[in-house]
Amino acid sequence: MNISHQKQMYEFIKHDLKALEDPQSMLMQKIVESQNDISLQIEVAKYVFYENIEYYNKLISLAAVIVKEIGIDDNSISYSQVVENLIMRGYLSVGNPVYPYKELTDRSFDLYGFLGFDVIHRQGCCRHISSLHQDIFQKIGLFCQSYRCYDVQENDSLNPNRDPKFNFIRATHAANLIQYHNQYYIHDIFNQIFFYLADGLSAEEYENGDDKLILYYTPISNMIFDRLSYKQLLVQIKQLHESSLKAHMDLAELLDITCETNDRFYNNSRLLHDFRKEAESYMKKIIPN
Protein backbone atom coordinates (compact mmCIF):
# COMPACT_ATOMS: atom_id res chain seq x y z
CA MET A 1 0.00 0.00 0.00
CA ASN A 2 1.21 3.50 -0.83
CA ILE A 3 2.24 4.77 2.63
CA SER A 4 2.08 8.46 1.73
CA HIS A 5 -1.47 7.99 0.39
CA GLN A 6 -2.42 6.08 3.50
CA LYS A 7 -1.14 8.76 5.88
CA GLN A 8 -2.86 11.52 3.96
CA MET A 9 -6.17 9.68 3.78
CA TYR A 10 -6.06 8.81 7.47
CA GLU A 11 -5.58 12.48 8.33
CA PHE A 12 -8.63 13.35 6.24
CA ILE A 13 -10.70 10.59 7.86
CA LYS A 14 -9.59 11.57 11.38
CA HIS A 15 -10.57 15.15 10.58
CA ASP A 16 -14.01 13.94 9.54
CA LEU A 17 -14.47 11.87 12.69
CA LYS A 18 -13.30 14.74 14.90
CA ALA A 19 -15.86 17.03 13.29
CA LEU A 20 -18.63 14.63 14.31
CA GLU A 21 -17.91 14.78 18.03
CA ASP A 22 -20.04 17.89 18.54
CA PRO A 23 -23.74 16.91 18.15
CA GLN A 24 -24.64 20.61 17.64
CA SER A 25 -22.16 21.20 14.85
CA MET A 26 -23.26 22.36 11.41
CA LEU A 27 -21.89 19.13 9.99
CA MET A 28 -24.07 17.00 12.26
CA GLN A 29 -27.10 19.12 11.41
CA LYS A 30 -26.35 18.67 7.72
CA ILE A 31 -26.06 14.90 8.16
CA VAL A 32 -29.38 14.69 10.03
CA GLU A 33 -31.06 16.76 7.30
CA SER A 34 -29.64 14.43 4.64
CA GLN A 35 -30.74 11.33 6.56
CA ASN A 36 -34.26 12.73 6.90
CA ASP A 37 -34.35 13.58 3.21
CA ILE A 38 -33.35 10.04 2.23
CA SER A 39 -35.93 8.56 4.62
CA LEU A 40 -38.58 10.73 2.98
CA GLN A 41 -37.47 9.66 -0.50
CA ILE A 42 -37.82 6.01 0.51
CA GLU A 43 -41.33 6.56 1.80
CA VAL A 44 -42.31 8.41 -1.38
CA ALA A 45 -40.77 5.62 -3.47
CA LYS A 46 -42.81 3.02 -1.60
CA TYR A 47 -45.97 4.98 -2.38
CA VAL A 48 -45.26 5.93 -5.99
CA PHE A 49 -43.65 2.67 -7.06
CA TYR A 50 -45.66 0.27 -4.88
CA GLU A 51 -46.54 -2.13 -7.71
CA ASN A 52 -43.02 -2.05 -9.16
CA ILE A 53 -41.56 -2.78 -5.72
CA GLU A 54 -43.86 -5.79 -5.37
CA TYR A 55 -42.50 -7.29 -8.60
CA TYR A 56 -38.95 -6.30 -7.64
CA ASN A 57 -39.28 -8.22 -4.37
CA LYS A 58 -40.54 -11.26 -6.27
CA LEU A 59 -37.51 -11.03 -8.57
CA ILE A 60 -35.19 -10.80 -5.55
CA SER A 61 -36.81 -13.90 -4.04
CA LEU A 62 -36.31 -15.76 -7.31
CA ALA A 63 -32.66 -14.67 -7.46
CA ALA A 64 -32.07 -15.76 -3.86
CA VAL A 65 -33.23 -19.27 -4.71
CA ILE A 66 -30.89 -19.72 -7.67
CA VAL A 67 -27.96 -18.23 -5.75
CA LYS A 68 -28.38 -20.95 -3.13
CA GLU A 69 -28.94 -23.66 -5.75
CA ILE A 70 -25.77 -22.84 -7.70
CA GLY A 71 -23.50 -21.61 -4.90
CA ILE A 72 -21.48 -23.80 -2.56
CA ASP A 73 -23.64 -24.59 0.49
CA ASP A 74 -23.47 -22.05 3.32
CA ASN A 75 -20.57 -20.20 1.67
CA SER A 76 -21.12 -16.43 1.46
CA ILE A 77 -18.10 -15.91 -0.82
CA SER A 78 -19.55 -18.44 -3.26
CA TYR A 79 -23.04 -16.96 -3.03
CA SER A 80 -21.58 -13.51 -3.65
CA GLN A 81 -19.77 -14.79 -6.74
CA VAL A 82 -23.04 -16.16 -8.09
CA VAL A 83 -24.64 -12.74 -7.55
CA GLU A 84 -21.76 -11.17 -9.49
CA ASN A 85 -22.28 -13.56 -12.38
CA LEU A 86 -26.04 -13.01 -12.45
CA ILE A 87 -25.60 -9.23 -12.56
CA MET A 88 -22.63 -8.94 -14.88
CA ARG A 89 -23.85 -11.62 -17.32
CA GLY A 90 -27.19 -9.87 -17.72
CA TYR A 91 -29.48 -12.33 -15.96
CA LEU A 92 -30.93 -9.52 -13.84
CA SER A 93 -31.38 -6.92 -16.55
CA VAL A 94 -33.62 -6.51 -19.56
CA GLY A 95 -31.74 -7.17 -22.80
CA ASN A 96 -27.98 -7.49 -23.05
CA PRO A 97 -25.35 -7.70 -20.29
CA VAL A 98 -25.15 -4.48 -18.36
CA TYR A 99 -21.46 -3.56 -18.23
CA PRO A 100 -20.30 -0.81 -18.46
CA TYR A 101 -22.62 1.14 -16.23
CA LYS A 102 -23.14 4.86 -16.37
CA GLU A 103 -24.49 7.47 -13.98
CA LEU A 104 -28.14 8.20 -14.51
CA THR A 105 -28.68 11.68 -15.93
CA ASP A 106 -32.29 11.51 -17.07
CA ARG A 107 -34.02 10.50 -13.85
CA SER A 108 -34.66 12.98 -11.04
CA PHE A 109 -35.76 10.31 -8.59
CA ASP A 110 -32.89 8.05 -7.55
CA LEU A 111 -35.05 5.60 -5.57
CA TYR A 112 -32.78 5.44 -2.53
CA GLY A 113 -33.27 2.06 -0.93
CA PHE A 114 -34.42 0.53 -4.23
CA LEU A 115 -31.43 1.30 -6.43
CA GLY A 116 -31.43 -2.21 -7.87
CA PHE A 117 -34.26 -1.08 -10.15
CA ASP A 118 -31.71 0.65 -12.35
CA VAL A 119 -29.60 -2.47 -12.84
CA ILE A 120 -32.71 -4.15 -14.27
CA HIS A 121 -32.92 -1.22 -16.69
CA ARG A 122 -29.21 -1.68 -17.62
CA GLN A 123 -28.28 1.68 -16.16
CA GLY A 124 -26.58 3.01 -13.07
CA CYS A 125 -23.23 2.59 -11.39
CA CYS A 126 -21.54 0.90 -8.44
CA ARG A 127 -24.10 1.93 -5.83
CA HIS A 128 -26.93 0.41 -7.88
CA ILE A 129 -25.09 -2.91 -8.11
CA SER A 130 -24.27 -2.74 -4.40
CA SER A 131 -27.93 -2.19 -3.55
CA LEU A 132 -29.06 -5.17 -5.65
CA HIS A 133 -26.39 -7.38 -4.10
CA GLN A 134 -27.50 -6.33 -0.62
CA ASP A 135 -31.17 -7.00 -1.40
CA ILE A 136 -30.44 -10.55 -2.58
CA PHE A 137 -28.28 -11.37 0.44
CA GLN A 138 -30.89 -10.00 2.84
CA LYS A 139 -33.50 -12.25 1.21
CA ILE A 140 -31.18 -15.25 1.74
CA GLY A 141 -30.68 -14.12 5.35
CA LEU A 142 -26.98 -13.32 5.10
CA PHE A 143 -25.10 -10.28 6.37
CA CYS A 144 -24.40 -7.73 3.64
CA GLN A 145 -23.86 -3.97 3.90
CA SER A 146 -22.99 -1.38 1.33
CA TYR A 147 -19.36 -0.30 1.84
CA ARG A 148 -19.02 3.31 0.73
CA CYS A 149 -15.47 4.32 0.10
CA TYR A 150 -12.93 6.42 -1.77
CA ASP A 151 -11.15 4.23 -4.31
CA VAL A 152 -7.72 4.91 -5.77
CA GLN A 153 -5.16 2.98 -7.77
CA GLU A 154 -2.02 2.52 -5.69
CA ASN A 155 0.14 4.34 -8.25
CA ASP A 156 -2.32 7.15 -8.98
CA SER A 157 -2.20 10.66 -7.58
CA LEU A 158 -4.40 11.22 -4.53
CA ASN A 159 -7.17 13.77 -4.90
CA PRO A 160 -10.00 12.96 -2.47
CA ASN A 161 -13.45 14.15 -3.44
CA ARG A 162 -14.32 16.53 -0.59
CA ASP A 163 -17.60 18.26 0.15
CA PRO A 164 -17.03 21.95 -0.76
CA LYS A 165 -19.11 23.33 2.11
CA PHE A 166 -18.49 20.94 5.01
CA ASN A 167 -15.11 19.56 3.96
CA PHE A 168 -15.58 15.82 4.49
CA ILE A 169 -14.62 12.98 2.14
CA ARG A 170 -17.41 11.97 -0.19
CA ALA A 171 -17.60 8.38 -1.31
CA THR A 172 -16.56 7.84 -4.91
CA HIS A 173 -17.40 4.14 -4.89
CA ALA A 174 -19.65 1.51 -3.31
CA ALA A 175 -19.00 -2.21 -2.82
CA ASN A 176 -20.38 -4.76 -0.35
CA LEU A 177 -19.22 -5.85 3.08
CA ILE A 178 -19.95 -9.56 3.59
CA GLN A 179 -18.98 -12.18 6.18
CA TYR A 180 -17.15 -15.45 5.65
CA HIS A 181 -16.14 -17.59 8.63
CA ASN A 182 -16.97 -14.67 10.99
CA GLN A 183 -14.60 -12.41 9.10
CA TYR A 184 -15.44 -9.34 7.02
CA TYR A 185 -14.54 -9.19 3.33
CA ILE A 186 -15.47 -6.71 0.62
CA HIS A 187 -16.83 -7.80 -2.74
CA ASP A 188 -16.70 -5.11 -5.41
CA ILE A 189 -18.94 -6.51 -8.13
CA PHE A 190 -18.57 -3.40 -10.29
CA ASN A 191 -14.83 -4.10 -10.63
CA GLN A 192 -15.20 -7.87 -10.01
CA ILE A 193 -12.67 -7.89 -7.17
CA PHE A 194 -12.60 -9.26 -3.60
CA PHE A 195 -10.84 -7.24 -0.88
CA TYR A 196 -9.58 -7.92 2.62
CA LEU A 197 -9.46 -5.27 5.35
CA ALA A 198 -5.95 -3.96 5.86
CA ASP A 199 -7.19 -2.09 8.96
CA GLY A 200 -10.39 -0.39 10.06
CA LEU A 201 -10.15 2.37 7.45
CA SER A 202 -8.76 0.76 4.32
CA ALA A 203 -8.94 -2.42 2.24
CA GLU A 204 -6.71 -4.02 -0.36
CA GLU A 205 -7.61 -6.25 -3.28
CA TYR A 206 -6.47 -9.86 -3.12
CA GLU A 207 -4.59 -10.17 -6.38
CA ASN A 208 -1.40 -8.15 -6.63
CA GLY A 209 -0.67 -5.99 -9.64
CA ASP A 210 0.91 -2.76 -10.80
CA ASP A 211 -2.42 -0.96 -10.59
CA LYS A 212 -3.65 -2.41 -7.32
CA LEU A 213 -6.87 -0.84 -6.10
CA ILE A 214 -7.14 0.50 -2.53
CA LEU A 215 -10.45 1.31 -0.83
CA TYR A 216 -10.61 3.91 1.94
CA TYR A 217 -13.66 3.86 4.17
CA THR A 218 -15.67 7.11 4.15
CA PRO A 219 -17.46 7.27 7.52
CA ILE A 220 -19.74 10.25 6.89
CA SER A 221 -21.03 8.84 3.61
CA ASN A 222 -21.84 5.66 5.52
CA MET A 223 -23.71 7.69 8.17
CA ILE A 224 -25.76 9.58 5.61
CA PHE A 225 -26.84 6.74 3.35
CA ASP A 226 -27.28 4.07 6.03
CA ARG A 227 -28.74 6.55 8.52
CA LEU A 228 -26.33 5.68 11.33
CA SER A 229 -25.77 7.65 14.51
CA TYR A 230 -22.27 8.76 15.49
CA LYS A 231 -22.23 6.06 18.19
CA GLN A 232 -23.21 3.38 15.68
CA LEU A 233 -20.51 4.62 13.32
CA LEU A 234 -17.82 4.23 15.98
CA VAL A 235 -19.01 0.67 16.65
CA GLN A 236 -18.81 -0.04 12.92
CA ILE A 237 -15.22 1.24 12.67
CA LYS A 238 -14.23 -0.82 15.73
CA GLN A 239 -15.71 -3.95 14.15
CA LEU A 240 -13.85 -3.33 10.90
CA HIS A 241 -10.60 -2.82 12.78
CA GLU A 242 -11.07 -5.98 14.88
CA SER A 243 -11.79 -7.94 11.72
CA SER A 244 -8.59 -6.67 10.10
CA LEU A 245 -6.53 -8.11 12.99
CA LYS A 246 -7.79 -11.64 12.39
CA ALA A 247 -6.20 -13.96 9.86
CA HIS A 248 -7.95 -13.69 6.52
CA MET A 249 -8.20 -16.37 3.85
CA ASP A 250 -5.27 -16.57 1.50
CA LEU A 251 -5.56 -16.01 -2.23
CA ALA A 252 -5.47 -19.75 -2.99
CA GLU A 253 -8.59 -20.35 -0.89
CA LEU A 254 -10.40 -17.46 -2.55
CA LEU A 255 -9.50 -18.75 -6.02
CA ASP A 256 -10.64 -22.27 -5.13
CA ILE A 257 -14.05 -20.95 -4.03
CA THR A 258 -14.57 -18.60 -6.97
CA CYS A 259 -13.33 -21.10 -9.58
CA GLU A 260 -15.56 -23.88 -8.25
CA THR A 261 -18.48 -21.46 -8.12
CA ASN A 262 -17.91 -20.31 -11.70
CA ASP A 263 -17.78 -23.94 -12.84
CA ARG A 264 -21.07 -24.63 -11.08
CA PHE A 265 -22.55 -21.50 -12.65
CA TYR A 266 -21.58 -22.27 -16.24
CA ASN A 267 -22.49 -25.95 -15.90
CA ASN A 268 -26.06 -25.05 -14.97
CA SER A 269 -27.17 -23.63 -18.30
CA ARG A 270 -30.60 -25.29 -18.12
CA LEU A 271 -31.27 -23.89 -14.65
CA LEU A 272 -30.08 -20.45 -15.71
CA HIS A 273 -32.23 -20.55 -18.85
CA ASP A 274 -35.32 -21.34 -16.79
CA PHE A 275 -34.41 -18.65 -14.28
CA ARG A 276 -33.93 -16.08 -17.00
CA LYS A 277 -37.30 -16.88 -18.52
CA GLU A 278 -39.13 -16.53 -15.20
CA ALA A 279 -37.09 -13.48 -14.15
CA GLU A 280 -37.90 -11.66 -17.39
CA SER A 281 -41.63 -11.86 -16.64
CA TYR A 282 -41.02 -9.81 -13.48
CA MET A 283 -38.46 -7.48 -15.06
CA LYS A 284 -40.84 -6.56 -17.88
CA LYS A 285 -43.50 -5.68 -15.32
CA ILE A 286 -40.99 -3.53 -13.42
CA ILE A 287 -39.88 -1.82 -16.65
CA PRO A 288 -42.82 -2.27 -19.07
CA ASN A 289 -41.34 -0.20 -21.91
Side-chain angles (χ1 to χ4, degrees), residues 101-117:
Y101 287 77
K102 61 181 180 180
E103 281 280 7
L104 298 179
T105 57
D106 59 347
R107 200 178 298 189
S108 60
F109 201 73
D110 203 9
L111 273 174
Y112 282 113
F114 303 102
L115 298 176
F117 273 80

Side-chain angles (χ1 to χ4, degrees), residues 92-93 98 101 116-123 128-129 132:
L92 289 170
S93 57
V98 290
Y101 287 77
F117 273 80
D118 297 305
V119 177
I120 296 166
H121 206 182
R122 296 200 298 116
Q123 299 187 81
H128 303 90
I129 300 173
L132 183 56

Side-chain angles (χ1 to χ4, degrees), residues 146-268:
S146 186
Y147 182 87
R148 292 174 176 84
C149 51
Y150 171 78
D151 62 333
V152 60
Q153 297 287 354
E154 187 171 24
N155 296 327
D156 285 354
S157 59
L158 190 65
N159 184 28
N161 181 21
R162 300 190 66 79
D163 183 276
K165 186 175 181 181
F166 293 94
N167 197 32
F168 65 83
I169 300 175
R170 288 175 167 175
T172 58
H173 191 52
N176 290 86
L177 192 68
I178 61 176
Q179 280 185 316
Y180 173 68
H181 289 174
N182 296 316
Q183 172 70 301
Y184 288 127
Y185 295 96
I186 296 162
H187 188 187
D188 178 359
I189 288 181
F190 183 82
N191 289 307
Q192 301 177 66
I193 301 171
F194 281 90
F195 292 79
Y196 63 89
L197 290 163
D199 49 52
L201 300 175
S202 64
E204 297 185 56
E205 66 177 88
Y206 261 92
E207 296 190 50
N208 294 317
D210 293 336
D211 294 322
K212 189 173 184 178
L213 193 64
I214 307 294
L215 305 181
Y216 290 97
Y217 182 50
T218 53
I220 295 181
S221 295
N222 187 224
M223 283 187 74
I224 293 172
F225 291 105
D226 295 318
R227 299 182 295 285
L228 300 179
S229 67
Y230 178 54
K231 183 177 180 180
Q232 289 172 320
L233 180 67
L234 294 181
V235 171
Q236 172 105 330
I237 293 172
K238 181 180 178 182
Q239 290 173 337
L240 296 178
H241 178 66
E242 289 174 349
S243 179
S244 72
L245 298 177
K246 301 175 187 176
H248 55 263
M249 63 178 166
D250 58 30
L251 178 59
E253 181 180 0
L254 175 64
L255 291 177
D256 284 345
I257 294 170
T258 54
C259 288
E260 180 181 347
T261 301
N262 288 336
D263 286 344
R264 294 161 71 107
F265 188 89
Y266 293 113
N267 288 329
N268 272 286

